Amino acid sequence: LAVLVAGFYSIRFFSSGKIFVPEEFTSSRMRSAEIGRNIKAFSNASLNNLRKIAEFDEAGKASSALALVSEEILNAKKSHSQAVDLSKELEIMAKDLKLITPQSAKIVATEALTSQVALVGRLLSYNNYLKELFDVLESKFESGIKTDGRVKDLVGNINYEVQAINSLSAESSAIFSTLDALIKEESN
């Protein structure tokens, strides 16, 4: 946050010329913010379900664990769809980056996009871990294959990805807020 504040003031005092951000970039940024909030909501809901899955696994409640994992996979599909939508918005913004002036504002916008691209990557990792968790539990409960702590490890990995998603979401929101403040300051 200190870096963002310092960046804001350095841009404010050292930028040359008026700030210009294409309307298409701004519209896409607004749509991406909404998509980001949806992704964050999906991932937060998953945290609670993952705890329950781990508890069901330890208690040997196969059907309950698999039912909840199936529900999570459906949520992951929705989340994946949101990631695809976010990627489309990021593509639009990336194409318009070259039009943003001055260079200092372009740097802020690039940092925000970089954060959102990283968020998409984390979301893909989250989805892969969730699919792997389902496969492990299915094998365990249907075939009696021992998992040797694999469920706990996967739940830990998924939790880590959810925390990273939330962190990157907050980071990109803060960076975009810096850009919004610059634009608002310039328009006054």
Side-chain angles (χ1 to χ4, degrees):
L1 188 56
V3 172
L4 291 175
V5 171
F8 172 77
Y9 285 108
S10 67
I11 289 169
R12 186 170 175 219
F13 292 112
F14 298 112
S15 65
S16 57
K18 293 231 177 237
I19 292 177
F20 173 75
V21 178
E23 181 59 37
E24 189 174 40
F25 181 96
T26 302
S27 297
S28 188
R29 178 251 187 273
M30 295 301 179
R31 288 187 301 271
S32 74
E34 179 63 29
I35 293 167
R37 283 189 291 276
N38 292 341
I39 290 171
K40 188 174 179 181
F42 283 133
S43 62
N44 283 334
S46 288
L47 284 175
N48 192 34
N49 284 342
L50 290 170
R51 284 186 211 102
K52 290 178 185 176
I53 290 166
E55 290 170 9
F56 289 146
D57 175 56
E58 287 186 21
K61 296 181 178 178
S63 60
S64 298
L66 281 174
L68 202 48
V69 170
S70 294
E71 181 181 321
E72 278 304 299
I73 287 177
L74 289 176
N75 288 336
K77 286 180 183 176
K78 293 175 189 173
S79 187
H80 184 273
S81 173
Q82 292 285 294
V84 170
D85 292 344
L86 179 58
S87 295
K88 291 175 185 173
E89 298 303 333
L90 294 175
E91 181 181 356
I92 291 167
M93 289 186 282
K95 287 178 183 176
D96 283 347
L97 268 177
K98 65 183 176 281
L99 302 174
I100 296 175
T101 58
Q103 183 66 24
S104 52
K106 188 181 302 185
I107 290 169
V108 172
T110 301
E111 289 173 4
L113 285 177
T114 300
S115 182
Q116 288 198 329
V117 168
L119 185 147
V120 170
R122 292 296 192 159
L123 189 58
L124 294 173
S125 293
Y126 160 83
N127 285 335
N128 288 336
Y129 283 132
L130 194 59
K131 173 73 171 97
E132 189 177 346
L133 176 62
F134 182 77
D135 292 343
V136 166
L137 286 172
E138 191 174 48
S139 295
K140 177 181 178 177
F141 296 135
E142 290 180 359
S143 307
I145 296 173
K146 295 191 185 246
T147 60
D148 297 324
R150 188 72 185 131
V151 171
K152 187 175 182 178
D153 290 345
L154 286 168
V155 168
N157 289 341
I158 293 167
N159 279 326
Y160 180 78
E161 295 301 330
V162 168
Q163 290 168 1
I165 289 166
N166 288 339
S167 176
L168 288 165
S169 177
E171 179 182 307
S172 63
S173 291
I175 297 169
F176 272 128
S177 291
T178 300
L179 184 61
D180 292 343
L182 288 168
I183 294 166
K184 184 176 180 183
E185 178 76 22
E186 190 65 34
S187 66
N188 289 332

